[in-house]
């Protein structure tokens, strides 16, 4: 099983292109099952946030072949030519893909380094794939490792400590526009985690009112409860915009929620007071054309980047430490996954030897009918011989796999003993031995704990 | 004698302004740039003493010609910008005020102080005092509006709030300050214009004569009247108002120079 990844992110693609992908994959169930119907792909997971859209797949065959299949699928989703699309894509396979996921989950690849939302978003992606039944053992394991890495990065480094996120930028911008935030009103249009956080930041900065507007009053009320605000219906939007000073928009609407014509009227009604839009939705909610109006300031996710760059530098140092954790975890993961390769070989070898021994014992037992006592001793002897014979082989394989050179001996073993590696076809007595096999052979994955002390 | 002192004052203004601009472009972390305001305050003291010398020389308030008028304008403008800079913690206002004052005082110090005869009309002193005071206030409003435009462009172009921008107050604060200055300056300007008309009748025998300064003054007065009118009726503010303010003040100052230089 190989892993491959294709993605676009804030670092490689403009917002318009990310919007295309976000729209094309808005029905995640369908997008995931479409992926799994592609040739050779058996597992798929899709991360879609305002800053990135990433397709993770696992399947049979070479990683290059998987990437090629995924690439043509991604291209057909985008509706662009290869020349237009390729400069914005990144393609990774195997260890690189896993490293990328580790970095994404740890917010090391985020626009705002160390921001807290991304882990939740990756977990959501994982859950969606689980619900769509497109996860298999490979991706499930990799994603769970990614969550573990993210947790380590968060607890062991200060990357996320002063993780001012985009929500912080809203406060920062608010201060540049408004003299005093204490008489200012905030409006959230739709709400995600980001918008919630922004509202909390603004409340901490002392704004006088937070209103939440959503398509249904029910969700608005729920969100309003969370942030301690007032719920409103989205149908009152013109009236709400007339009163609000800072608007944070994060709806999943495919088109603009606030457009030019609407805003033109509203600005008159507002007596041309300043209004700040922070549009963290992808696709965008706020028509960028209204930024041309006097006293209207519109920041989308890309614009926030320029505001936030300054904080990035301070956290870059901690990021180096976080990257070291990612590398270390990746090594640990690689070791573990190599050790997993050993398991079926050892299983098969043991099954083969055990079946030979058993066969010979049966034959001997048939030749001289001994007492049940003798039969028991004979069987015990057979099993002891099997274990003694296999012990040095297993030790050698384990130490080789730990040092990363295992595959040569493994292949030799498979060839020399003509091993059948498909466990489904294993004979019954091999299955009967399984508890013992697992207990002795499967190496549970243990991250390098000594490093945590450092 | 006073001329040399005024020329020296102009040099002082220039030096402090250049220092202020230097500090603005290469701000040191944690510094509010107060040193510029303090130095400007010292120059203001020098300027005030020069004005006092001139007053005692001619025996009344030195306002009766362009030389004295411009010097007076510069002094008031410097006092306004430095004190507002202190009050709003915007040393950049003092620095940009310093730049404008440097220009005005330099022009003044190239003029020869005319020998003073008695004022030709009783309206003359009132006209000059109110017009120059009003103009000084308008010029300050123009500077504030200029800073507003800087801040607005930074926000519109999504540039980071650092360096010079970090020293700017919020848009709203600048807008409010500019409006307040216009509100103070406007009545003074109105009195200045009306007394100018009366003075013109006394001296020239006609209420109105079309000249550069007169024309521009009336146009700018109308512009400010329009700004104030729409501010209070439909809430006009922001970028357009700031552009008009900067344009109006610039035009008036240029007209003032043009009237006397050509």
């Amino acid at each position: 099983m190989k892993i491959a990844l294709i993605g676009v992110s804030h670092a490689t693609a403009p917002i318009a292109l990310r919007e295309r992908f976000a729209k094309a994959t808005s029905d995640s169930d369908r997008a995931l099952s479409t992926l799994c119907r592609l040739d050779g792909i058996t597992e798929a997971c899709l991360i879609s946030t305002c800053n990135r859209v990433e397709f993770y797949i696992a399947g049979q065959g070479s990683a290059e072949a998987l990437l090629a299949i995924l690439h043509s699928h991604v291209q057909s989703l985008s509706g662009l030519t290869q020349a237009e699309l390729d400069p914005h894509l990144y393609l990774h396979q195997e260890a690189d893909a896993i490293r990328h996921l580790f970095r994404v989950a740890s917010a090391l690849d985020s626009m705002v380094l160390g921001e807290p939302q991304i882990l939740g978003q990756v977990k959501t992606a994982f859950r969606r794939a689980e619900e769509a039944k497109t996860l298999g053992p490979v991706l499930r394991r990799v994603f769970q490792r990614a969550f573990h890495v993210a947790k380590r990065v968060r607890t062991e480094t200060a990357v996320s400590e002063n993780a001012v996120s985009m929500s912080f930028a809203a406060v920062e911008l608010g201060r540049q526009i408004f003299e005093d935030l204490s008489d200012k009103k905030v409006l959230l249009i739709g709400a995600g985690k980001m918008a919630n956080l922004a509202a909390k930041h603004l409340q901490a900065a002392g704004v006088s009112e937070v209103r939440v507007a959503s398509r249904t009053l029910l969700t608005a009320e729920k969100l309003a409860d969370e942030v301690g605000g007032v719920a409103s219906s989205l149908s009152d939007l013109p009236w709400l915009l007339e009163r609000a000073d800072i608007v944070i928009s994060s709806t999943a609407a495919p088109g603009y929620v606030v457009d030019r014509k609407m805003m033109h009227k509203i600005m008159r009604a507002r007596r041309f007071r300043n209004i700040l839009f922070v549009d963290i939705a992808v696709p965008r909610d706020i028509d960028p054309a209204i930024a041309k109006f006097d006293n209207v300031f519109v920041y989308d996710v890309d614009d926030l980047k320029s505001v936030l760059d300054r904080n990035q530098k301070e956290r870059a140092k901690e990021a180096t430490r976080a990257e070291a954790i990612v590398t270390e975890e990746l090594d640990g993961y690689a070791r573990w996954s190599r050790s997993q390769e050993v398991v079926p070989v050892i299983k098969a070898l043991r099954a083969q030897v055990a079946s030979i021994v058993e066969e010979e014992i049966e034959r001997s037992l048939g030749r001289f009918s001994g007492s049940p006592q003798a039969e028991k001793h004979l069987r015990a002897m057979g099993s002891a011989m099997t274990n003694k014979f296999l012990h040095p082989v297993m030790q050698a394989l384990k130490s080789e796999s730990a040092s990363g050179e295992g595959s040569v001996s493994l292949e030799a073993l498979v060839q020399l003993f003509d091993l059948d590696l498909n466990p489904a076809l294993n004979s019954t007595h091999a299955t009967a031995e399984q508890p013992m096999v697992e207990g002795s052979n499967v190496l549970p994955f243990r991250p390098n704990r000594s490093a945590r002390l450092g | 004698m006073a001329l040399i002192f005024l020329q020296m004052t102009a040099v002082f203004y220039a030096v402090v302004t250049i220092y202020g601009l230097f500090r603005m472009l290469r701000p040191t972390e944690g510094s509010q740039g107060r040193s510029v305001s303090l130095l400007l305050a010292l120059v203001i003291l020098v300027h005030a003493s020069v004005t006092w010398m001139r007053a005692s020389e001619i025996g009344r308030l030195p306002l009766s010609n362009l030389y004295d008028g411009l010097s007076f304008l510069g002094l008031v403008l410097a006092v306004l910008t430095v004190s507002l800079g202190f009050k709003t913690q915007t040393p950049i206002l003092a620095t940009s005020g310093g730049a404008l004052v440097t220009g005005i005082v330099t022009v003044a110090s190239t003029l020869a102080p005319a020998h003073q005869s008695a004022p030709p009309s009783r309206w003359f002193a009132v006209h000059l005092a109110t017009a120059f005071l009003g103009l000084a206030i308008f010029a300050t409003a123009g500077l504030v509006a200029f800073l507003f435009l800087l801040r607005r462009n930074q926000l519109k172009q999504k540039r980071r709030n650092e360096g010079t921008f970090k020293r700017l107050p919020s848009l709203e604060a600048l807008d409010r300050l500019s409006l307040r200055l216009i509100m103070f300056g406007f009545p003074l300007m109105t009195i200045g214009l009306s007394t100018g008309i009366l003075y013109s009748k006394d001296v020239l025998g006609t209420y109105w004569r079309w000249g550069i300064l007169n024309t521009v003054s009336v146009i700018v007065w109308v512009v400010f009247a329009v700004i104030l009118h729409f501010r209070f009726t439909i809430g006009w503010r922001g970028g357009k108002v700031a552009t008009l303010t900067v344009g109006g003040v610039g035009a008036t100052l240029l007209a003032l120079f043009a009237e006397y230089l050509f």
Side-chain angles (χ1 to χ4, degrees):
Chain A
M1 289 286 265
K2 302 285 181 192
I3 299 173
L5 145 72
I6 292 182
V8 289
S9 76
H10 61 94
T12 64
I15 189 166
L17 182 61
R18 273 146 42 211
E19 274 173 356
R20 259 170 200 262
F21 279 113
K23 270 182 199 161
T25 59
S26 57
D27 182 352
S28 69
D29 262 18
R30 221 185 58 202
L32 284 166
S33 51
T34 315
L35 276 171
C36 277
R37 274 202 296 276
L38 295 174
D39 199 21
I41 297 178
T42 54
E43 300 178 23
C45 191
L46 175 66
I47 299 179
S48 178
T49 75
C50 51
N51 284 326
R52 66 183 67 245
V53 177
E54 293 181 337
F55 303 83
Y56 290 85
I57 53 155
Q60 307 292 344
S62 73
E64 286 79 11
L66 285 176
L67 262 184
I69 290 161
L70 182 58
H71 182 254
S72 66
H73 175 66
V74 166
Q75 192 189 327
S76 71
L77 275 184
S78 73
L80 296 176
T81 67
Q82 194 166 344
E84 285 170 323
L85 182 63
D86 277 5
H88 302 295
L89 292 183
Y90 43 89
L91 293 80
H92 295 303
Q93 54 183 29
E94 291 293 279
D96 286 340
I98 299 170
R99 175 189 288 276
H100 185 84
L101 176 62
F102 283 6
R103 295 188 71 243
V104 167
S106 314
L108 294 174
D109 196 49
S110 290
M111 193 165 100
V112 182
L113 195 62
E115 49 101 0
Q117 283 85 31
I118 185 69
L119 182 58
Q121 287 162 334
V122 176
K123 279 183 173 162
T124 306
F126 180 73
R127 210 189 55 237
R128 287 218 176 109
E130 193 81 274
E131 281 164 8
K133 298 193 169 52
T134 60
L135 280 185
V138 177
L139 283 188
R140 191 175 291 126
R141 207 160 52 209
V142 172
F143 269 76
Q144 275 161 354
R145 285 325 295 165
F147 302 149
H148 166 81
V149 175
K151 207 176 149 198
R152 268 196 74 189
V153 167
R154 189 176 291 184
T155 52
E156 292 173 33
T157 73
V159 166
S160 54
E161 214 158 71
N162 54 346
V164 276
S165 57
M166 288 192 226
S167 45
F168 178 78
V171 181
E172 182 103 317
L173 287 170
R175 288 223 168 93
Q176 287 169 46
I177 293 172
F178 303 109
E179 190 171 9
D180 184 6
L181 287 179
S182 69
D183 58 349
K184 295 299 176 282
K185 297 185 176 72
V186 174
L187 171 66
L188 303 186
I189 307 179
K193 216 171 175 180
M194 219 50 171
N196 257 1
L197 219 83
K200 281 179 187 146
H201 263 112
L202 283 162
Q203 260 167 342
V207 295
S208 69
E209 181 189 280
V210 174
R211 270 184 186 268
V212 183
S214 188
R215 219 162 11 138
T216 65
L217 201 56
L218 204 69
T219 45
E221 268 163 8
K222 206 180 122 235
L223 296 164
D225 268 356
E226 273 173 45
V227 297
V230 190
S232 294
S233 163
L234 204 53
S235 53
D236 292 334
L237 195 57
W239 180 80
L240 290 168
L241 286 173
E242 203 180 304
R243 291 165 42 98
D245 300 291
I246 300 173
V247 181
I248 297 163
S249 190
S250 61
T251 75
Y256 295 135
V257 176
V258 178
D259 61 23
R260 232 185 113 85
K261 215 171 129 197
M262 182 179 184
M263 208 51 213
H264 186 73
K265 265 194 215 148
I266 287 167
M267 279 316 281
R268 282 187 154 274
R270 296 177 54 83
R271 295 174 62 85
F272 304 100
R273 279 178 299 118
N274 293 312
I275 185 164
L276 166 65
F277 286 97
V278 178
D279 185 358
I280 52 184
V282 174
R284 280 170 288 188
D285 285 342
I286 314 295
D287 186 351
I290 67 170
K292 292 208 180 72
F293 289 148
D294 211 10
N295 308 337
V296 178
F297 301 89
V298 183
Y299 279 71
D300 64 30
V301 272
D302 280 0
D303 301 330
L304 291 176
K305 195 178 187 169
S306 56
V307 184
L308 287 164
D309 266 357
R310 200 157 25 94
N311 302 309
Q312 301 276 73
K313 278 177 211 149
E314 291 152 27
R315 275 173 286 158
K317 282 180 221 148
E318 283 300 307
T320 323
R321 289 184 54 211
E323 296 284 359
I325 292 179
V326 168
T327 306
E328 182 191 308
E329 287 285 341
L330 197 65
D331 286 350
Y333 181 84
R335 254 200 317 277
W336 177 76
S337 90
R338 274 197 305 271
S339 78
Q340 290 304 96
E341 285 174 18
V342 177
V343 174
V345 176
I346 292 180
K347 262 191 191 173
L349 186 60
R350 173 177 284 276
Q352 189 149 338
V353 174
S355 82
I356 293 168
V357 168
E358 183 123 342
E359 212 172 286
E360 292 306 316
I361 289 173
E362 291 298 330
R363 195 179 295 168
S364 310
L365 280 176
R367 237 174 268 157
F368 68 103
S369 50
S371 67
Q373 191 83 11
E375 186 183 331
K376 200 177 146 197
H377 277 299
L378 203 60
R379 284 193 193 281
M381 187 192 80
S383 140
M385 276 169 68
T386 311
N387 285 342
K388 283 236 164 90
F389 168 73
L390 287 176
H391 182 73
V393 182
M394 271 159 48
Q395 289 304 93
L397 283 180
K398 276 184 202 171
S399 67
E400 273 190 0
S401 90
S403 63
E405 300 157 351
S407 63
V408 181
S409 307
L410 278 182
E411 277 162 29
L413 266 181
V414 172
Q415 276 185 353
L416 286 175
F417 288 86
D418 191 21
L419 295 177
D420 175 15
L421 291 182
N422 197 335
L425 300 175
N426 271 1
S427 57
T428 43
H429 36 258
T431 334
E433 297 230 5
Q434 213 159 1
M436 195 187 157
V437 172
E438 280 195 359
S440 56
N441 293 338
V442 177
L443 311 174
F445 180 81
R446 286 201 190 87
N448 189 354
R449 277 173 196 273
S450 61
R452 292 188 180 198
L453 303 171
Chain B
M1 197 54 189
L3 182 62
I4 288 199
F5 283 124
L6 193 65
Q7 281 165 346
M8 272 167 58
T9 310
V11 172
F12 289 152
Y13 273 125
V15 169
V16 176
T17 303
I18 289 166
Y19 168 69
L21 289 172
F22 182 74
R23 290 296 302 274
M24 222 164 82
L25 295 174
R26 309 180 81 178
T28 29
E29 207 55 46
S31 146
Q32 282 292 313
R34 284 227 185 88
S35 51
V36 181
S37 304
L38 285 170
L39 285 171
L40 274 176
L42 278 178
V43 183
I44 287 171
L45 282 180
V46 173
H47 194 170
S49 340
V50 172
T51 311
W52 182 74
M53 268 173 62
R54 174 76 179 151
S56 52
E57 190 184 313
I58 59 172
R60 62 198 137 69
L61 210 61
L63 264 176
S64 34
N65 54 27
L66 187 67
Y67 165 82
D68 288 324
L70 283 179
S71 170
F72 175 73
L73 174 68
L75 182 62
V76 176
L77 187 56
V79 170
L80 273 174
T81 52
V82 169
S83 54
L84 279 175
F86 257 124
K87 194 170 165 261
T88 61
Q89 296 184 329
T90 317
I92 192 172
L93 187 58
T95 307
S96 44
L100 192 53
V101 172
T102 306
I104 291 169
V105 175
T106 307
V107 172
S109 60
T110 55
L111 302 170
H115 176 70
Q116 289 300 297
S117 53
S121 158
R122 61 204 153 117
W123 297 115
F124 192 64
V126 185
H127 164 66
L128 283 176
T130 50
F132 276 119
L133 203 60
L135 188 56
I137 294 173
F138 272 3
T140 314
L143 283 173
V144 173
F146 174 72
L147 297 182
F148 175 95
L149 291 175
L150 274 185
R151 173 61 109 191
R152 190 205 54 171
N153 288 349
Q154 171 235 329
L155 282 162
K156 286 266 184 190
Q157 291 161 12
K158 283 125 194 181
R159 267 183 289 170
R160 260 179 282 164
N161 182 33
E162 60 180 14
T164 311
F165 297 124
K166 213 170 177 179
R167 303 245 165 121
L168 293 175
S170 66
L171 268 186
E172 222 182 41
L174 289 168
D175 190 55
R176 205 199 305 261
L177 184 57
S178 167
L179 173 75
R180 252 199 244 158
L181 287 166
I182 294 174
M183 278 166 63
F184 273 110
F186 191 74
L188 285 171
M189 232 11 186
T190 312
I191 297 171
L193 275 178
S194 3
T195 48
I197 289 167
L198 295 174
Y199 153 74
S200 165
K201 172 73 180 164
D202 277 2
V203 177
L204 302 167
T206 165
Y207 283 112
W208 190 258
R209 205 184 57 179
W210 289 102
I212 302 175
L213 185 59
N214 286 15
T215 314
V216 170
S217 302
V218 164
I219 292 172
V220 170
W221 185 85
V222 170
V223 166
F224 280 101
V226 167
I227 289 175
L228 286 175
H229 172 75
F230 283 120
R231 173 65 176 232
F232 290 112
T233 50
I234 65 165
W236 241 33
R237 74 191 81 199
K240 272 178 220 144
V241 173
T243 313
L244 282 176
T245 308
V246 172
V249 170
T252 316
L253 286 176
L254 284 179
L256 183 66
F257 294 151
E259 177 82 5
Y260 288 95
L261 291 180
F262 308 113

